[in-house]
């Protein structure tokens, strides 16, 4: 059985983003669970704010077509979410929306097909105490609507500015255990669904 391929990305492209640091900390637990991991930066896939006129006139942005290929080839997705007013970041929503659009030149590997039937997990990070917990319920809904199977395990890391040590791992042992369990569940679900 082949190793499940898991894409990890953060919902922020900010230089010092807490969510990007936490996304990087998710890589080793997933690899330990037997997954092959692609850690992506959304800043590498820039796209204008979605507008149907833009799509009709110019089609999908090149970067979005590239991202669609990567998502299509993956078996699972782990998203680390900052919380904006209790919800998803506009960057993440815009990227998910663009990728949900069909590419007329490659209908099989674009649009809903890049999400359908794949496993997903949500993690939150915030400088506040709740760790972006409220956003996770919204992102769960959105990924589920896109046809992904979102696993029940989740982790919300509060006070995220000090949560990650110099070794790039979560400092708190109980959080590390939750992340390990989440990584194992995500890899197992991706394997069961797709490998
Ligand atoms: C528009 C906006 C709304 C925010 N709303 C929340 C919020 O609802 N809950 C929260 O914990 N932090 C909120 N924050 C603070 C972010 O958690 C903080 O800026 C965080 O560092 C952003 O994520 P990043 O470090 O991954 O870029 C908000 C920030 C912005 C810019």
């Amino acid at each position: 059985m082949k190793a499940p391929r898991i894409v990890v990305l953060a919902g922020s492209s900010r230089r010092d983003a807490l969510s990007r640091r936490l996304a990087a900390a998710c890589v080793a637990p997933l690899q330990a669970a037997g997954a092959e991991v692609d850690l992506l930066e959304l800043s590498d896939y820039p796209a204008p704010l979605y507008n149907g006129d833009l799509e009709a006139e110019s089609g999908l942005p090149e970067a979005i077509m590239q991202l669609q290929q990567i998502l299509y080839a993956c078996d699972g997705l782990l998203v680390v979410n900052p919380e904006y007013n209790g919800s998803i970041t506009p960057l993440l929503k815009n990227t998910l929306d663009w990728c949900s659009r069909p590419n007329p030149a490659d209908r099989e590997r674009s649009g809903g097909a890049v999400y359908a039937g794949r496993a997903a997990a949500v993690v939150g990070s915030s400088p506040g105490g709740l760790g972006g917990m409220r956003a996770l319920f919204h992102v769960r809904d959105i990924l589920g609507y896109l046809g992904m199977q979102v696993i029940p395990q989740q982790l919300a890391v509060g006070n995220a500015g000090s949560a990650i040590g110099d070794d790039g791992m979560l400092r708190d042992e109980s959080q590390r255990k939750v992340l390990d369990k989440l990584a194992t569940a995500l890899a197992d679900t991706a394997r069961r669904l797709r490998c």
Side-chain angles (χ1 to χ4, degrees):
M1 195 179 276
K2 77 177 173 81
R5 179 166 287 277
I6 307 288
V7 165
V8 177
L9 54 84
S12 171
S13 59
R14 197 170 67 85
R15 203 176 312 117
D16 297 322
L18 305 175
S19 54
R20 291 180 54 237
R21 291 179 63 197
L22 184 54
C26 293
V27 172
L30 282 166
Q31 288 170 334
E36 282 178 18
V37 183
D38 284 334
L39 176 61
L40 303 187
E41 295 288 351
L42 286 186
S43 55
D44 291 336
Y45 303 93
L49 188 60
Y50 179 83
N51 177 306
D53 293 337
L54 203 58
E55 184 187 5
E57 286 156 17
S58 314
L60 303 187
E62 183 61 37
I64 291 296
M65 291 191 283
Q66 285 171 16
L67 185 53
Q68 285 180 326
Q69 298 301 309
I70 294 168
L71 292 174
Y72 183 82
C74 86
D75 305 304
L77 175 68
L78 188 155
V79 186
V80 181
N81 297 274
E83 182 176 78
Y84 277 12
N85 296 315
S87 191
I88 189 171
T89 62
L91 170 66
L92 178 59
K93 185 67 166 67
N94 191 51
T95 305
L96 292 173
D97 285 345
W98 268 116
C99 286
S100 76
R101 302 299 298 161
N103 173 3
D106 191 3
R107 285 191 182 275
E108 270 187 31
R109 293 181 297 168
S110 65
V114 309
Y115 302 112
R118 290 164 178 78
V122 292
V123 170
S125 67
S126 166
L130 295 181
M133 174 75 79
R134 291 163 298 192
L136 296 187
F137 297 102
H138 293 189
V139 180
R140 259 179 193 289
D141 263 5
I142 292 164
L143 297 178
Y145 182 84
L146 289 169
M148 306 197 89
Q149 190 156 321
V150 188
I151 62 168
Q153 292 81 359
Q154 65 181 33
L155 170 65
V157 177
N159 306 309
S162 55
I164 297 188
D166 294 337
D167 60 357
M169 304 295 176
L170 284 164
R171 290 182 203 275
D172 182 84
E173 194 185 344
S174 60
Q175 286 181 338
R176 277 204 307 271
K177 281 187 181 159
V178 174
L179 182 57
D180 286 345
K181 283 188 179 159
L182 180 153
T184 300
L186 179 60
D188 287 351
T189 304
R191 200 179 282 117
R192 184 165 44 78
L193 288 172
R194 305 247 320 158
C195 297

